[in-house]
Amino acid sequence: MFQENRVQFKVFNDPIHGHIELHPLLVKIIDTPQFQRLRNIKQLGAVYFVYPGASHNRFEHSIGVAYLAGELVKALQTRQLELEINEKDILCVQIAGLCHDLGHGPFSHLYDQKFLPKAGRGEWKHEQGSIDMFNHMVKSNNLEPVMEELGLEPDDIVFIKEMINPPNEAQGQEWQYRGRKQDKAFLYDIVSNKRNGIDVDKFDYLARDAYHLGFQSNFDYHRFMKFARVCDVDGKKLICTRDKEVHNLYDLFHTRLCLHRRACQHKVNTILSVMIADAFLKAENVQEMQIQGSGGKEFTLSTAIKDMEAYTKLTDHVFEQILNSTSEELGEAREILQKIITRDFPKCVGEIRLQEPFQEDENFDSFVEAKTKEWQARLAEPIPEEPDELTADDFVILGNTMDYGNNTEDPVNNMYFYSKYNPNVAREISADQRSRIRTTIFSEHLIRVYCRRTDENSVLAAREHFARLDVADEVAEAQRLEKESTSSED
């Protein structure tokens, strides 16, 4: 029997959501070492070296997601009694929101998207780390009896983990979740929505990141919650919204794009993320950087993901550990980080904006990787009467993708809308309901060129070299071949 009436909620004061109440079980989770670890992991990674206000961490973001998850599911419960949402459902959704980022490594996405691929572990994702850390947290802090006392059963624990890392649904696939039956499918879209990306995780980080970066966010998640409603769509119960809210959703994805353009993929943050990942790689096998895990076994910066006791100790502090070390073995890694601190990092000397996006990001990455050495050599070709002596190694070439969250596709195509006059029937938005004043292109690719030499003369010379680099025809040909390949596959 689920016990809810005997608990005393605690109040937290959050800069984004104001005074919020959290269930005592959530507080117990917050007070574990595994969750407290998130205090030391920057929400926006290396962006803090670009924007001084970006000092917020995964800790407060996770609390915000837990709160919003509860608010959304409670709104649905109040509005639609026929959904039979119970207090146990609400608590499970809140726990999933609270624990969804437990698996992040140092500097958040920098760890699993930049460093681990360099270390040969690119298949690992932080969502799986969150499941592993959740299991470790429950066991090491003896939370099972507390959960059982509150009435949470094994299926509820499965439900929580399925919400943290839901599988990708295939078209026509049978119901694959074990935590809840298909009549509560909509609960799986609240924390991590794989269908269209509209979830409370995004609601919180857009509001929180904009606040700390000093940006303006036009998306109003309060309106979304007011108009959110569960409808039956092709036999599935999905969270839908009013047809007039389509503009608010475009504001959501446009705000995400602006955040990536101005912060996450800022030209300085991009190169700093690569440098930090390189420093971690050079420190990977140094004895001083080994992390002790379960049974006294030692792990490296990349293998710590295999042992949650070791991973609990791995946070942003490794940056300072390398920087302040006097070890000769860490000399190269330390030198890289010192260049970040002294602002002596490679300078962006130009960028190429592709006229059409690649259909898949992997194809774009492969194209940039294949062309990098060739372009570096062409960039190093001497300019007549200019004895700059730049070499191919002086140039760094990086690809960047910016989109609305669904590659080249319109993400709103995966959302369903109901009308004021027929709230129980939802369908895709029709063409005549979309504003003609909107974007029709949802993805773009940039290729940025950096110069490792930072003295003024070298940077000026590098800019001249970049001005002579004409790769438009090569990119156009690659995209033509990609289109032909995509068409033949279809």
Side-chain angles (χ1 to χ4, degrees), residues 19-222:
H19 290 86
I20 61 180
E21 288 186 334
L22 293 182
H23 190 284
L25 178 55
L26 301 185
V27 178
K28 282 187 176 293
I29 291 173
I30 290 170
D31 290 342
T32 64
Q34 291 73 29
F35 192 88
Q36 290 291 315
R37 165 183 178 271
L38 298 180
R39 288 184 183 273
N40 298 309
I41 296 178
K42 289 286 183 294
Q43 171 80 4
L44 292 176
V47 173
Y48 185 42
F49 292 107
V50 182
Y51 288 91
S55 59
H56 56 304
N57 302 305
R58 291 281 161 181
F59 179 85
E60 50 265 39
H61 163 64
S62 297
I63 292 175
V65 174
Y67 167 71
L68 289 182
E71 291 300 289
L72 179 52
V73 72
K74 287 175 191 175
L76 295 172
Q77 180 193 44
T78 303
R79 199 170 296 136
Q80 295 177 268
L81 297 178
E82 70 274 12
L83 297 176
E84 299 183 353
I85 298 171
N86 56 47
E87 299 304 315
K88 192 159 59 167
D89 292 333
I90 295 173
L91 182 57
C92 288
V93 171
Q94 289 175 315
I95 293 172
L98 188 68
C99 298
H100 80 287
D101 271 351
L102 285 176
H104 269 295
F107 294 91
S108 291
H109 290 293
L110 184 155
Y111 181 77
D112 61 329
Q113 294 181 2
K114 302 291 184 184
F115 167 62
L116 287 183
K118 288 176 180 284
R121 305 183 188 280
E123 72 287 348
W124 186 90
K125 303 300 178 186
H126 79 271
E127 291 89 351
Q128 181 56 50
S130 294
I131 300 294
D132 295 340
M133 188 65 83
F134 177 81
N135 290 334
H136 174 62
M137 177 189 70
V138 170
K139 184 177 180 181
S140 62
N141 294 281
N142 199 29
L143 292 179
E144 285 183 353
V146 180
M147 292 178 170
E148 290 175 2
E149 185 179 349
L150 287 168
L152 295 183
E153 301 171 8
D155 281 350
D156 297 315
I157 307 303
V158 171
F159 176 45
I160 292 167
K161 291 189 281 190
E162 286 176 334
M163 284 188 287
I164 291 174
N165 188 23
N168 291 316
E169 293 185 38
Q171 191 72 24
Q173 194 173 32
E174 293 184 1
W175 186 247
Q176 53 190 315
Y177 299 98
R178 296 191 295 117
R180 289 294 184 271
K181 294 181 179 179
Q182 197 163 358
D183 62 339
K184 291 190 176 179
F186 59 92
L187 293 176
Y188 287 96
D189 288 347
I190 292 175
V191 175
S192 179
N193 191 332
K194 296 289 187 181
R195 282 190 310 108
N196 54 38
I198 302 171
D199 52 44
V200 295
D201 176 28
K202 195 173 271 85
F203 295 176
D204 183 85
Y205 82 64
L206 289 180
R208 195 172 301 277
D209 293 354
Y211 173 83
H212 286 280
L213 291 166
F215 294 173
Q216 184 69 40
S217 173
N218 292 325
F219 172 68
D220 187 347
Y221 63 82
H222 295 289

Side-chain angles (χ1 to χ4, degrees), residues 301-369:
L301 297 181
S302 71
T303 59
I305 57 176
K306 298 179 178 180
D307 184 276
M308 291 299 107
E309 186 175 326
Y311 197 51
T312 302
K313 303 172 186 177
L314 186 58
T315 64
D316 290 4
H317 85 281
V318 295
F319 185 100
E320 300 294 333
Q321 185 180 352
I322 295 170
L323 188 66
N324 297 326
S325 170
T326 57
S327 165
E328 288 187 10
E329 291 182 285
L330 287 172
E332 288 184 287
R334 183 168 57 249
E335 183 180 351
I336 293 173
L337 300 187
Q338 284 173 339
K339 287 186 176 183
I340 293 175
I341 296 300
T342 58
R343 316 298 289 182
D344 188 29
F345 44 77
K347 307 302 178 187
C348 185
V349 295
E351 68 180 25
I352 302 159
R353 189 180 301 272
L354 277 58
Q355 294 304 304
E356 293 185 33
F358 278 73
Q359 293 301 306
E360 298 292 341
D361 287 348
E362 306 88 69
N363 296 342
F364 172 64
D365 293 339
S366 299
F367 173 75
V368 174
E369 184 179 355

